[in-house]
Every structure is written in C-alpha cells, then in structure tokens.
C-alpha cells in the first residue's frame, strides 16, 4: 500500500482548540468563564471520484459519505491472516496520529461492524480470484472478496478515494470518503508491464518503487527481461561468469550490475505481497551476446565474443547443435525456476536472424521440453509460433501488423503487446527526448483507445490471456527515465486489462486520469504531463 518511502515519521495535521477570553479583568471571587467547547475540525468534501481502472459495475455518488476520524477502527474476519496483513497495511496508510497505529480488531461474528471492514468470504466465487465488492455507507465501509487478491484490489480502490495527502504520510485528522457500491472483477487474467533491465540495469530498490505504482493500478504481472546482448542481470551459480562478466556493462558502455539470487528472491517476495507475480525472461537463442562473451563453449567456433554495448539486434545466437548449449539452458532455467514460484518462464525467441527455420524450430522444441521439465509454462515472443507449440505454451504478440497465423492455427493463447499501441519505449510525440519511433509515436490515447478482442483477426477474446506493456531500455537509464516513459501510459494499459470494454471511453478516462496527477506527484513519480490530459 505504500510507495516505498518511509511514512512512519510523517507530519500529521492537528486541529486547534477554542480559546479562553474575557473583555475586562475578572471581579474578585467571580467564577471563571466556561471554556469554549473543543471544535472538531471540518470534514473536507470527499476526494474526486476518479477511479482507475474503471470498476466493472456500480459506482460512487449520492449518499452521505463515510467519515474517517481518529476513532475509526479497522475490522477483519476472525482467524484470517491475509486479511489481517492487509488491514495493518491500510492502518499504516491512515494512522490515527504520528506514531499512533489505527486499531485493527477481529470481528467476533464475522459480519460487518461500524468502521472499516475487510472480509474474505470463499462463497463469493462469482467474483473470481481477483474480484471484490466495496460498499461505502455513512456508518461503515465493507470490502468483501473471495480471495486475498480481491481484498487487496478493494483496498486499492479505497486508496484512490482517500485524500492525496495519505501518499505523503500526511493523512488529515478527519476526512470523508464518497458513498456508493462497487462490484468489480478484471476482464483479463494477465495485466502486466515489462522492464528491460538488461540494456540498462535497475537496482532492486528502483524495481520495488515501480512495483508499488503498478499495484495502485491493479497490475499483476511484472515481466523482467533479465538477459540480452548488452547484459546478463541474474546470478546463476552453476555458470558464475554470466553475471560477473556478462553483467558488467550496459548500452553505451555504462556501469552494469546484476541481481544476486537473494536479491531476486526478495523482489519476488516483495511483488507477491502486492499480488504481482514476477515472470523471468532469458532471451534465447538470440539476444544472447552477454552469455556468448562469458563462456566460449556456447559459440560454435569455441571463441568467446566481445562484450557488446550497442543497440543492433539479430547478430547473436547460441550454438544450437552443441549438447553443452542445452546443458546451459537447463541449468539457467532450473536455477531461476527454483527462485520463482509463478508458473511461467519466458524464453524470448525473437529476432533470430542467424539460424535456419529448421534450426530455430528444433531449438524452440527442445527448450520447450526443458521448461516443462521444471514445472513451468513456456512463454515466447510471437516468432515462436513458427515452431511446434505445446498446448500450454503462451505466445506474446508484439510485431505490428503480424498476422500470427501459425500460432493461431495451433490454438495458442496470447498475451497482447502490440508495439504500435503499448510499447512504452516509443516516443509520445516528435518532441519526446527519450525513446524510439520505429513503431510510430505512441501517445496516451493510442495506448488506451483500442479493444484487445478486435486487434488481430483470428484471436478471439477467449484466446487472450491478457495485455502487457513492455518498456525496452535502449534510451532509458534512471528510474526517472523509466517512470517518464511508463506513466501515464501504463495506467491506460491497466484499465485496458481490467475494465469491461463497454465501461471504457477515452473522454471519461482522460478526465479521470487528469485527477491522478496530484497522486502521482505525491508518490514522487516522474510522469509525463501529456497535453492530451486535463491535469489537476
């Protein structure tokens, strides 16, 4: 629930008290005038209703709001550890005062009480694993879900209704929350972002900051592109030179870096606490020069390549005819899979220009079996459709105007990441200093105003796992760069993946997004102030 910055010592606003007074000195033995009553601070009007993503059903309007004050308690269902954890997170977001935790207590009866109620009810299976019901009445707030993830998303909706000061650790003493009733669940299972940490490395703390903002918008997949020509970013104990040497540089020759296995595991845990699953990618058989430079035996000629710091693609490939190559692949997938509880492993497979179709197809087939042997579902960029795919394999569609006929014919399921719509490394317009433009300019409306079910002929909604916005890092270096290119477009993608098509219109979204400017600023996000948006 927090943006990774310390909230515990934040300033808290206190109301003044009534004054004592008289117009002349009091007479001898006269009684002192009575003290004026302590005045409760006025309750500000509820924050503007500007929810992103738009809820599936219901809304907030009309009735008298709920007022959160120092006496408001948070209640959870009895013996519910996950609800208690989420309740404590919410209590830290809206403390009673500086250093004063808001009380959290179990409900004895299991039914809602006056205050804020967080309840898990497994019988509400119609809400799915991530759906929730949020009811805000004058005397209580009740969030109910069938699973903990749904309860977390109910809290994110509630968070967006709180004053923006909460994001700075400065919750007002008393404030109102708009009343209403929401019944919500996502359109797609997969609502993701991808960070390319191979061309430029992001430190763990920066990735956590990015995760925090993802969670606010109900995104649930973080795809980490961990290896490419320019850098290998995760420790592999059985092949230590991958990180030590292959991870030593970045695009432009800058400093590299890599995650130790402990750091990677910590990121996985941090994300999971926010109901985000990390999806690791090791791109192969191409985009692999960092590995070829680290181990000579992975090259067909037995000679290690030089480290590469440019941005050209398609020149590198594992030697697919050597047995040692598949030993390497198996070791890498085994070690990363053991650190990653999620069910997926992404093998890349894109932009391979040095192998024949037969060599490429044979490699994908063997690697697919290796991924399955470690209990994972394989994902690959849409080029893998040219090989024979297992029924469980997922294809990530990215190439503009590519028909994906081979993958469609095999009955594949798809993650949609069309470059011309959601590639976050594309420039917003001609004036954008960062980014590329090979797929065209991608402004906020372009990222938002399309229907995934109508993107590619032959890919029906039932075959779509979800949507994901990749952020490649040829031109972005710092966390501020990543944020500038991601936000606000990633909020548009979040609504694309969550909200029903009939609940989405560009005019409505741009107005709601404009109201999120102060919240993003309070979170310290370096977002792009698009001229398409009426920012507040």
């Amino acid at each position: 629930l927090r943006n990774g910055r310390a909230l515990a010592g934040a300033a808290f606003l206190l109301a003044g008290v009534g004054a004592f007074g008289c117009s002349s000195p009091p007479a001898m033995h006269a009684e002192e005038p009575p003290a004026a009553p302590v005045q409760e601070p006025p309750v500000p009007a509820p924050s503007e209703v500007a929810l992103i993503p738009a809820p599936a059903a219901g809304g907030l309007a009309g009735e008298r709001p709920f007022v959160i004050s120092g006496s408001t308690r948070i209640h959870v269902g009895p013996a519910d550890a996950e609800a208690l954890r989420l309740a404590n997170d919410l209590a830290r977001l809206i403390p009673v005062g500086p250093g004063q935790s808001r009380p959290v207590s179990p409900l004895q009866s299991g039914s809602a009480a006056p205050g804020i109620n967080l309840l898990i009810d497994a019988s509400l299976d119609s809400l799915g694993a991530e759906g929730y019901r949020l009811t805000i009445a004058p005397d209580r707030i009740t969030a109910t879900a069938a699973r903990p993830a749904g309860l977390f998303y109910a809290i994110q909706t509630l968070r967006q209704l709180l004053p923006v000061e909460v994001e700075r650790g400065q919750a007002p003493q008393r404030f109102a929350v708009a009343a209403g009733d929401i019944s919500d669940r996502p359109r797609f299972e997969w609502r993701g972002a991808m960070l390319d940490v191979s061309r430029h490395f992001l430190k763990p703390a920066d990735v956590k900051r990015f995760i925090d903002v993802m969670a606010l918008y109900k995104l649930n997949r973080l795809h980490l592109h961990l290896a490419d020509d320019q850098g290998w970013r995760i420790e592999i104990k059985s092949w230590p030179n991958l990180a030590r040497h292959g991870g030593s540089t970045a695009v432009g020759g800058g400093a590299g870096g890599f995650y130790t296995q402990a750091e990677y595991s910590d990121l996985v845990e941090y994300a999971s606490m926010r109901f985000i699953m990390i999806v690791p990618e090791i791109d192969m058989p191409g985009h692999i020069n960092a590995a070829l430079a680290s181990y000579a035996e992975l090259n067909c000629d037995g000679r290690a390549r030089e480290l590469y710091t440019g941005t050209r693609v398609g020149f590198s490939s594992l030697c697919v005819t050597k047995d040692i190559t598949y030993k390497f692949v198996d070791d890498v997938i085994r070690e990363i899979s053991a650190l990653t509880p999620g069910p997926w492993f992404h093998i890349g497979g894109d932009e391979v220009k040095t192998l024949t179709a037969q060599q490429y197809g044979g490699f994908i087939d063997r690697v697919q079996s290796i991924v399955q042997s470690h209990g994972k579902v394989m994902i690959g960029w849409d080029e893998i459709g040219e090989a024979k795919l297992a029924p469980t394999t997922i294809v990530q569609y990215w190439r503009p105007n590519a028909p994906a006929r081979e993958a469609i014919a095999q009955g594949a399921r798809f993650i949609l990441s069309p470059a011309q719509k959601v590639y976050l490394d594309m420039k917003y317009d001609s004036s954008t200093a960062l980014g590329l433009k090979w797929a065209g300019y991608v402004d906020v409306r372009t990222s938002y105003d399309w229907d995934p079910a109508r993107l590619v002929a032959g890919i029906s909604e039932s075959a779509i796992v979800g949507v994901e916005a990749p952020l490649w890092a040829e031109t972005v270096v710092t966390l501020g760069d990543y944020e500038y290119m991601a936000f606000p477009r990633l909020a548009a993608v979040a609504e694309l993946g969550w909200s029903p098509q009939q609940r989405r219109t560009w005019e409505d979204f741009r107005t709601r997004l404009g109201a999120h400017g102060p919240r993003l600023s309070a979170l310290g996000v370096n977002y792009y102030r698009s001229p398409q948006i009426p920012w507040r």
Side-chain angles (χ1 to χ4, degrees):
L1 287 172
R2 297 184 292 169
N3 72 328
R5 296 182 176 180
L7 300 181
F12 189 77
L13 304 178
L14 296 176
V17 297
F20 293 91
C22 57
S23 58
S24 59
M28 186 70 67
H29 306 300
E31 292 184 0
E32 292 287 339
V38 176
Q39 300 294 317
E40 290 277 14
V43 179
S47 299
E48 182 176 1
V49 177
L51 299 177
I52 297 175
L60 298 164
E63 295 184 38
R64 186 161 53 92
F66 177 82
V67 175
I68 295 179
S69 68
S71 62
T72 303
R73 301 180 72 90
I74 300 174
H75 307 283
V76 297
D80 198 321
E82 273 292 83
L84 180 60
R85 177 179 73 83
L86 296 174
N88 286 325
D89 285 345
L90 179 59
R92 284 188 287 270
L93 189 70
I94 48 172
V96 173
Q100 300 179 48
S101 298
R102 185 170 296 277
V104 176
S105 57
L107 289 165
Q108 299 305 315
S109 64
S111 58
I116 302 173
N117 300 271
L118 305 179
L119 305 173
I120 293 177
D121 183 351
S123 69
L124 299 175
D125 53 3
S126 63
L127 294 173
E130 296 180 303
Y132 64 90
R133 176 85 180 269
L134 179 64
T135 301
I136 303 172
D139 67 333
R140 70 195 63 192
I141 295 175
T142 304
T144 312
R147 301 287 186 272
L151 199 58
F152 178 79
Y153 295 132
I155 293 171
Q156 302 316 301
T157 296
L158 176 60
R159 176 181 170 185
Q160 292 186 19
L161 296 172
L162 303 179
V164 70
E165 289 83 1
V166 303
E167 309 295 357
R168 293 191 289 264
Q170 299 171 346
Q173 188 174 0
R174 300 175 76 230
F175 56 90
V177 181
D181 196 350
I182 290 172
S183 183
D184 203 7
R185 61 179 299 170
R187 179 183 182 185
F188 293 114
E189 168 194 352
W190 190 291
R191 306 175 306 281
M194 189 211 80
L195 290 178
D196 172 12
V197 295
S198 58
R199 290 178 173 85
H200 286 104
F201 180 65
L202 273 183
K203 294 179 180 178
D206 292 337
V207 177
K208 289 179 179 180
R209 277 285 308 279
F210 199 87
I211 287 170
D212 288 332
V213 187
M214 287 179 62
L216 174 64
Y217 293 109
K218 302 184 177 73
L219 293 158
N220 66 351
R221 304 284 186 267
L222 177 58
H223 171 180
L224 289 180
H225 187 79
L226 292 166
D228 212 298
D229 291 317
Q230 299 85 357
W232 187 283
R233 304 303 183 203
I234 185 167
E235 175 189 23
I236 303 297
K237 293 184 182 296
S238 55
W239 298 74
N241 214 37
L242 290 170
R244 186 170 56 232
H245 182 64
S248 63
T249 190
V251 164
F258 65 90
Y259 307 117
T260 66
Q261 292 198 359
E263 287 172 331
Y264 177 80
S265 294
D266 181 60
L267 284 177
V268 169
E269 175 66 14
Y270 188 89
S272 70
M273 298 289 278
R274 290 146 184 83
F275 295 90
I276 293 172
M277 290 188 184
I278 285 184
V279 181
E281 178 189 356
I282 300 296
D283 210 341
M284 60 181 88
H287 286 278
I288 198 71
N289 192 77
L292 303 181
S294 301
Y295 287 96
E297 58 266 41
L298 299 178
N299 299 276
C300 287
D301 61 6
R303 298 168 56 189
R305 299 299 183 254
E306 296 295 322
L307 291 169
Y308 182 69
T309 60
T311 59
R312 185 165 55 95
V313 300
F315 65 91
S316 64
S317 176
L318 292 167
C319 187
V320 299
T321 59
K322 282 186 169 183
D323 289 340
I324 190 65
T325 293
Y326 299 97
K327 173 70 165 59
F328 160 78
V329 170
D330 184 78
D331 286 340
V332 168
I333 293 175
R334 172 180 53 80
E335 289 196 31
I336 297 176
S337 294
L339 302 171
T340 312
W344 309 284
F345 194 99
H346 202 304
I347 59 93
D350 60 314
E351 297 180 316
V352 178
K353 300 179 180 180
T354 60
L355 299 179
T356 66
Q358 184 177 9
Q359 288 174 324
Y360 177 80
F363 176 84
I364 296 299
D365 186 57
R366 286 189 68 172
V367 172
Q368 186 171 235
S369 296
I370 292 171
V371 171
Q372 291 174 324
S373 74
H374 293 290
K376 301 298 183 182
V377 171
M378 192 180 85
I379 305 173
W381 299 103
D382 60 46
E383 288 94 327
I384 68 168
E386 299 165 14
K388 183 178 180 181
L389 303 179
T392 57
T393 293
I394 298 172
V395 175
Q396 188 161 4
Y397 176 89
W398 72 276
R399 289 180 293 177
N401 305 313
R405 292 191 188 95
E406 297 90 345
I408 293 171
Q410 296 188 67
R413 296 182 300 151
F414 291 85
I415 298 165
L416 299 184
S417 300
Q420 72 276 26
K421 299 288 186 183
V422 298
Y423 261 35
L424 302 178
D425 58 312
M426 294 296 109
K427 292 176 178 287
Y428 289 96
D429 56 34
S430 60
S431 67
T432 309
L434 299 171
L436 307 173
K437 59 181 181 179
W438 60 262
Y441 297 123
V442 178
D443 57 30
V444 180
R445 182 168 189 172
T446 298
S447 289
Y448 180 83
D449 210 3
W450 59 287
D451 182 356
R454 296 177 178 270
L455 180 70
V456 181
I459 301 180
S460 64
E461 183 154 347
S462 62
I464 299 172
V465 180
V467 294
E468 180 182 293
L471 177 46
W472 302 100
E474 286 90 345
T475 68
V476 298
V477 180
T478 66
L479 175 63
D481 294 342
Y482 280 85
E483 290 179 340
Y484 186 82
M485 299 304 284
F487 298 101
R489 290 183 291 195
L490 194 52
V493 174
E495 180 153 309
L496 188 74
W498 182 282
S499 305
Q501 182 66 22
Q502 65 270 21
R503 296 278 286 193
R504 300 195 308 111
T505 68
W506 165 248
E507 288 302 322
D508 178 55
F509 174 74
R510 67 186 289 270
T511 300
R512 286 182 283 116
L513 182 57
H516 276 243
R519 194 169 300 274
L520 289 170
S521 295
L523 288 167
V525 176
N526 182 37
Y527 68 97
Y528 169 64
R529 293 184 66 86
S530 167
Q532 296 180 316
I533 308 303
W535 298 106
R536 308 296 164 83

